[in-house]
Amino acid sequence: MQLLHKTLSGLSSCLGKKPTITHQKMFHIFQYQPLRLITQNSLSSVCLKLMLSRPVAFAQIWKSWLSSHSLLGKKNIILMGPPGAGKTTVGRIVGQKLDCPVIDIDDDVLETTWNMSVSEKLQDVGNEEFLEEEGKALLKFSASGSVISLSGSNPMHAAGMQHMKKNGIVVYLDVPTTVIMSRLKSKEMDRIVGLSPGISLKDILQFRKQFYKRWFDIRVLCGGDIAAEVVAEKVLDAVKRYQDSELETFISTRSSRSGRSTEEDSHKFYFSDVVTQGLALDGGLFVPERGLPKFTAEEWQGLIEATYTERAQVILERCIHPDDIPASKLAEIIETAYGENFSCSKIAPVRHLAGNQFLLELFHGPTASFKDFALQLMPHLFAYCIPRSCNYLILVATSGDTGSAVLDGFSRLHDTDKQRIALVNFFPEDGVSPIQKSQMIGCQKENAWSVGVKSDFDFCQTAIKQIFTNSDFTGFLTVEYGTALAAANSINWARLLPQIVYHASAYLDLVHQGIISFGSPVDICIPTGNFGNMLAALYAKMMGIPIRKCICASNENNVLTDFIRTGVYDLRGRKLVSTFSPAVDILKSSNLERYLHLIANEDGQLVTKLFNQLENQGHFQLRKDLLGKLQQDLVAGWCSHEDCLAAIHSVYSTTGYILDTHTAVAKVVADRLQDRTCPIIISSTAHYSKFAPAILRALRIAEINQNPLSQLHLLSSYSALPPIHWGLLETLKKTGNGDHQVCAADMTALMSHIETLIQNHFTKVF
């Protein structure tokens, strides 16, 4: 690159050409003239001589030049951020690396236009007039193929920013407020719009964040001590990612990947595809082909002071390509999902329980379950990603909490989306708690229904998988009714992503509270059935959160415990046991397939063999090397009915806090397996109100009224922590038990139900 630069400099000297800025009615930045001569005209004698004398060197230089300029093209890279973010310095480095013009709006445009310094102009006209004048200057400015550093206040002028975005990629240098304030201590602050004796710098920085978030295409996290050169490289990497969605495709866990011989193997799947399709055609689950993004320690530390919503935006932006969902739309969706729907402002608070144990409270959503984190978000992702020309029926199988959560989430869609998106929720008729059942029945809406199935959860889940892979049936629904099927269970990738956020956020909260310093390890204990929540914790670990061990807690349905200890997944002779923790009354853990695909180095053929063997023979066994990898990440234990209830009573007696039955299972297992050398975060996955009969029994109440509403009123009289869940109480008050359909445990009956629901809701195509 340096050799090419010298060559171009020589050409520039010979030709008397320099990068020029012309001042006409509109500012326009012309490209570097020698570059145009090389690309548009015949090669100069200097370049020809270089080609003949050093062909290899010239080829390398030419390839490098083409690479950098194809990145930029006629678009501008527009750096945006608060004062002190390093926009000017980073912009110069990026411009040097791309060998293109660099324009600083303050120095090269505003001060040149006004013929005075920015601080003098601000003092002369005041804040409001300054913003207007600054915006007018932006509207008269034009450039192409340049790196542009905005002023800190440019984003506050909407028309000016709309003009700039027409020919530019806006890169937000996101620097923590505390870092900015530290940097600006030693600088003159007479150029900062809005700063006055009554308004602090911190207030201004916080106020401006809304404008930065409104306009950016790409966010680059910039920690406190990160060098400008490193930031510049991150900017270039982020722009490359932005321009190349091919980098972020998905594959099936059962994909052979050996020559991509099948139709599905050769087809590229993107985030929007896997959200709408749910399950791969070969029966596997979708995973990112190149894995999940990694965050540096500095990037995680930059999120320590962030809110839950801000953390979610940053993490999900890295996991969802902007071609699928632009950053501004994603931010809007996240704000809708978590803005006002949760009863706790912290969304997923971490509470100290006792000793080195902490509870991650995941029950503050509208249906009192951790499922709300995904299912308040996923419906909006789904509605954005699907084509407008087709109706969608979403099939859900639930062991309890998913049902009400998915019904509530999809009921919050816009009315126009409800007309083309409907949902049917299958649940084991006698396999959920009375309050869960009342919730699912009470949450039915005009586009969402609950159907009880006379079987267990495993049948419901297996039936849905078989329906998705029944091409005759799905094809018939598409042709006859213009309706496609989709899944909202934890097998859907959009269900997993939001769960990664709260595991990362819990760790950052412990750092923020001063419990640990960043980099210190924690253990995590999760009541586990379908393995989705556990997998999300493992993904958070892969992305850079210092999780040491993930502890898998089971009830009497302890197939996962046995598997993690022995490497043998064996369903032969096992019958599902109905317990006080129904959400983990599961024998076939679907998301385990994604984890095995990961530790098997994406060997889809092996994964296919294992799960075909499980389906046909009822068992499989891992190789020793894979079991070794698994046991580096996971340990497991299980808990009986009696131990679960005893834990609820013990914790309430000593702390005044009531655990739900699932959290109690995790508490028992954590007590047995933790080594107390580091903090342990126990996932509290549901509110105890949902399991009132079991809780009252644990608290040793002799006579229990069978009415769910009466049970909640009795629990509220204990004035325990946390209080009775308001959303659950309101749902039961409004709806009672209502009506719902019941279906036999028969595939034909389920498919008939599905067709009838489609007939009644969607207009027939032919």
Side-chain angles (χ1 to χ4, degrees):
M1 197 68 194
Q2 290 179 342
L3 183 55
L4 177 60
H5 207 65
K6 289 178 181 178
T7 303
L8 296 177
S9 298
L11 282 172
S12 181
S13 300
C14 294
L15 297 169
K17 301 283 187 178
K18 292 183 179 179
T20 57
I21 301 178
T22 63
H23 298 272
Q24 301 169 349
K25 187 175 181 181
M26 294 183 71
F27 293 97
H28 188 85
I29 309 303
F30 286 102
Q31 287 278 16
Y32 201 54
Q33 293 297 323
L35 301 183
R36 285 191 169 182
L37 287 171
I38 290 175
T39 56
Q40 295 177 5
N41 303 329
S42 59
L43 289 169
S44 68
S45 59
V46 177
C47 291
L48 185 60
K49 184 178 180 181
L50 179 62
M51 284 181 68
L52 295 172
S53 62
R54 298 178 62 189
V56 176
F58 182 82
Q60 291 173 339
I61 294 165
W62 188 249
K63 183 178 179 181
S64 173
W65 186 88
L66 285 176
S67 174
S68 63
H69 283 73
S70 63
L71 175 67
L72 201 57
K74 292 184 178 180
K75 285 271 189 181
N76 301 308
I77 293 177
I78 302 170
L79 300 181
M80 176 185 71
K87 300 181 295 293
T88 301
T89 304
V90 172
R92 288 172 183 157
I93 297 171
V94 172
Q96 185 179 27
K97 288 178 178 293
L98 294 179
D99 196 20
C100 66
V102 178
I103 304 122
D104 184 279
I105 293 295
D106 272 344
D107 297 342
D108 299 330
V109 177
L110 299 182
E111 295 191 351
T112 304
T113 304
W114 297 332
N115 201 27
M116 65 173 69
S117 70
V118 168
S119 57
E120 289 171 338
K121 183 73 171 181
L122 181 57
Q123 188 174 6
D124 185 40
V125 301
N127 292 322
E128 290 187 16
E129 182 63 25
F130 179 89
L131 288 174
E132 191 58 34
E133 291 291 326
E134 189 180 47
K136 288 178 181 177
L138 275 188
L139 288 169
K140 293 180 179 179
F141 172 81
S142 177
S144 65
S146 303
V147 178
I148 300 170
S149 300
L150 297 177
S151 74
S153 53
N154 279 156
M156 298 170 70
H157 193 277
M161 286 303 296
Q162 286 169 348
H163 171 70
M164 295 296 290
K165 275 180 72 77
K166 287 178 183 177
N167 193 38
I169 302 167
V170 180
V171 181
Y172 173 28
L173 302 185
D174 190 355
V175 185
T177 299
T178 52
V179 174
I180 291 293
M181 293 180 68
S182 176
R183 289 179 182 176
L184 294 179
K185 276 183 182 178
S186 58
K187 293 185 178 182
E188 293 288 335
M189 293 193 291
D190 54 356
R191 290 164 57 130
I192 299 179
V193 179
L195 194 62
S196 65
I199 302 175
S200 70
L201 175 61
K202 185 176 182 179
D203 291 336
I204 289 174
L205 295 173
Q206 194 62 35
F207 175 74
R208 288 190 184 181
K209 279 186 177 182
Q210 62 183 305
F211 300 101
Y212 301 142
K213 291 177 181 178
R214 177 181 178 183
W215 297 114
F216 79 90
D217 297 304
I218 304 168
R219 184 199 307 261
V220 172
L221 297 177
C222 310
D225 299 326
I226 188 169
E229 182 77 24
V230 176
V231 176
E233 287 294 340
K234 292 177 72 171
V235 168
L236 291 172
D237 288 342
V239 172
K240 288 175 186 174
R241 177 200 178 225
Y242 179 82
Q243 294 184 323
D244 188 4
S245 61
E246 298 293 314
L247 294 174
E248 295 181 27
T249 54
F250 288 75
I251 58 171
S252 167
T253 50
R254 302 189 187 187
S255 169
S256 67
R257 304 192 68 181
S258 55
R260 292 186 174 271
S261 55
T262 69
E263 182 180 347
E264 183 162 278
D265 283 346
S266 61
H267 182 73
K268 289 185 180 295
F269 291 91
Y270 303 95
F271 178 81
S272 51
D273 299 317
V274 304
V275 171
T276 54
Q277 186 168 321
L279 189 69
L281 294 178
D282 59 11
L285 308 182
F286 286 115
V287 291
E289 187 167 11
R290 302 194 182 200
L292 288 161
K294 305 292 191 296
F295 284 70
T296 66
E298 292 76 16
E299 288 173 334
W300 284 122
Q301 287 174 288
L303 296 176
I304 289 171
E305 296 182 6
T307 65
Y308 186 88
T309 300
E310 289 169 341
R311 290 168 182 169
Q313 288 173 3
V314 170
I315 294 168
L316 295 181
E317 282 165 14
R318 291 277 193 93
C319 297
I320 301 173
H321 196 278
D323 269 7
D324 291 296
I325 304 179
S328 57
K329 182 63 181 179
L330 183 59
E332 177 188 318
I333 289 172
I334 292 170
E335 287 288 350
T336 300
Y338 301 133
E340 298 178 356
N341 298 349
F342 284 69
S343 59
C344 177
S345 61
K346 292 184 178 179
I347 312 299
V350 177
R351 180 192 294 267
H352 180 241
L353 182 61
N356 68 333
Q357 293 184 345
F358 297 82
L359 290 178
L360 171 57
E361 293 185 340
L362 299 174
F363 48 70
H364 293 288
T367 69
S369 162
F370 80 99
K371 306 289 179 73
D372 287 323
F373 282 85
L375 288 167
Q376 288 298 304
L377 185 69
M378 184 210 167
H380 301 284
L381 299 177
F382 183 86
Y384 185 84
C385 290
I386 62 174
R388 298 294 182 261
S389 58
C390 188
N391 300 320
Y392 278 83
L393 179 68
I394 296 159
L395 303 183
V396 178
T398 178
S399 58
D401 293 329
T402 300
S404 55
V406 74
L407 290 163
D408 184 272
F410 277 88
S411 74
R412 295 175 188 266
L413 288 173
H414 299 299
D415 288 341
T416 53
D417 289 326
K418 289 181 188 178
Q419 292 172 10
R420 62 197 182 93
I421 302 172
L423 179 145
V424 57
N425 166 53
F426 295 106
F427 68 93
E429 174 69 12
D430 300 315
V432 297
S433 76
I435 289 179
Q436 284 179 316
K437 190 172 182 178
S438 296
Q439 263 193 302
M440 284 188 281
I441 295 169
C443 286
Q444 293 181 109
K445 303 293 181 182
E446 68 272 16
N447 68 325
W449 314 278
S450 285
V451 176
V453 180
K454 289 289 188 178
S455 187
D456 56 27
F457 171 73
D458 284 331
F459 173 83
C460 296
Q461 181 168 250
T462 301
I464 283 185
K465 277 191 170 186
Q466 290 176 358
I467 288 171
F468 275 117
T469 55
N470 186 334
S471 57
D472 290 339
F473 182 63
T474 57
F476 166 75
L477 295 179
T478 302
V479 172
E480 185 72 10
Y481 303 107
T483 300
L485 299 181
N489 279 80
S490 58
I491 58 175
N492 192 303
W493 183 251
R495 282 282 305 276
L496 274 172
L497 281 185
Q499 295 177 276
I500 297 172
V501 176
Y502 57 67
H503 289 301
S505 183
Y507 181 88
L508 296 173
D509 279 348
L510 288 187
V511 176
H512 190 246
Q513 294 169 20
I515 306 298
I516 55 174
S517 58
F518 189 89
S520 300
V522 297
D523 290 337
I524 287 182
C525 186
I526 303 172
T528 307
N530 216 22
F531 205 75
N533 205 354
M534 181 63 72
L535 181 62
L538 290 164
Y539 281 157
K541 179 179 180 178
M542 288 173 55
M543 293 172 72
I545 293 296
I547 296 171
R548 186 179 65 169
K549 285 285 186 182
C550 291
I551 302 174
C552 176
S554 302
N555 56 25
E556 280 96 334
N557 298 291
N558 54 2
V559 62
L560 274 175
T561 301
D562 291 344
F563 173 66
I564 291 168
R565 290 176 176 176
T566 67
V568 178
Y569 203 104
D570 195 347
L571 299 180
R572 293 171 298 183
R574 282 187 186 267
K575 290 186 178 180
L576 193 75
V577 179
S578 181
T579 74
F580 293 134
S581 46
V584 293
D585 286 351
I586 295 171
L587 295 179
K588 291 182 180 178
S589 300
S590 283
N591 273 297
L592 181 65
E593 181 169 335
R594 283 187 166 111
Y595 178 66
L596 296 184
H597 182 262
L598 177 68
I599 63 173
N601 296 321
E602 302 180 346
D603 187 342
Q605 291 179 323
L606 174 62
V607 172
T608 302
K609 177 184 175 183
L610 292 177
F611 283 90
N612 282 345
Q613 189 175 344
L614 181 65
E615 189 66 32
N616 298 325
Q617 301 175 31
H619 70 101
F620 68 76
Q621 182 169 0
L622 280 186
R623 298 193 315 249
K624 285 186 178 180
D625 61 319
L626 295 183
L627 179 60
K629 286 184 179 180
L630 180 149
Q631 291 177 342
Q632 288 177 2
D633 289 329
L634 298 168
V635 293
W638 68 278
C639 165
S640 67
H641 272 61
E642 294 75 18
D643 289 341
C644 170
L645 298 183
I648 294 169
H649 183 268
S650 173
V651 170
Y652 175 69
S653 298
T654 55
T655 68
Y657 191 96
I658 298 180
L659 304 174
D660 93 288
T661 49
H662 303 78
T663 310
V665 168
K667 162 70 173 162
V668 170
V669 174
D671 286 342
R672 292 172 182 167
L673 296 182
Q674 71 173 103
D675 61 13
R676 292 176 172 77
T677 59
C678 70
I680 183 166
I681 301 172
I682 299 171
S683 289
S684 185
T685 54
H687 195 281
Y688 64 85
S689 302
K690 302 189 80 163
F691 310 98
I695 301 300
L696 291 169
R697 179 172 167 179
L699 298 179
R700 300 174 185 173
I701 305 300
E703 295 184 8
I704 302 174
N705 190 311
Q706 294 305 304
N707 181 279
L709 203 54
S710 299
Q711 295 167 1
L712 293 193
H713 284 306
L714 178 56
L715 280 174
S716 67
S717 68
Y718 278 73
S719 299
L721 290 174
I724 291 294
H725 192 276
W726 62 272
L728 180 58
L729 197 59
E730 289 302 310
T731 299
L732 295 182
K733 281 181 181 178
K734 289 177 183 177
T735 62
N737 283 324
D739 295 321
H740 74 292
Q741 296 181 349
V742 179
C743 177
D746 177 78
M747 284 291 296
T748 303
L750 260 65
M751 289 192 290
S752 177
H753 251 50
I754 289 168
E755 184 179 358
T756 301
L757 292 171
I758 289 173
Q759 285 175 333
N760 293 338
H761 187 73
F762 298 122
T763 303
K764 203 168 184 179
V765 176
F766 300 110

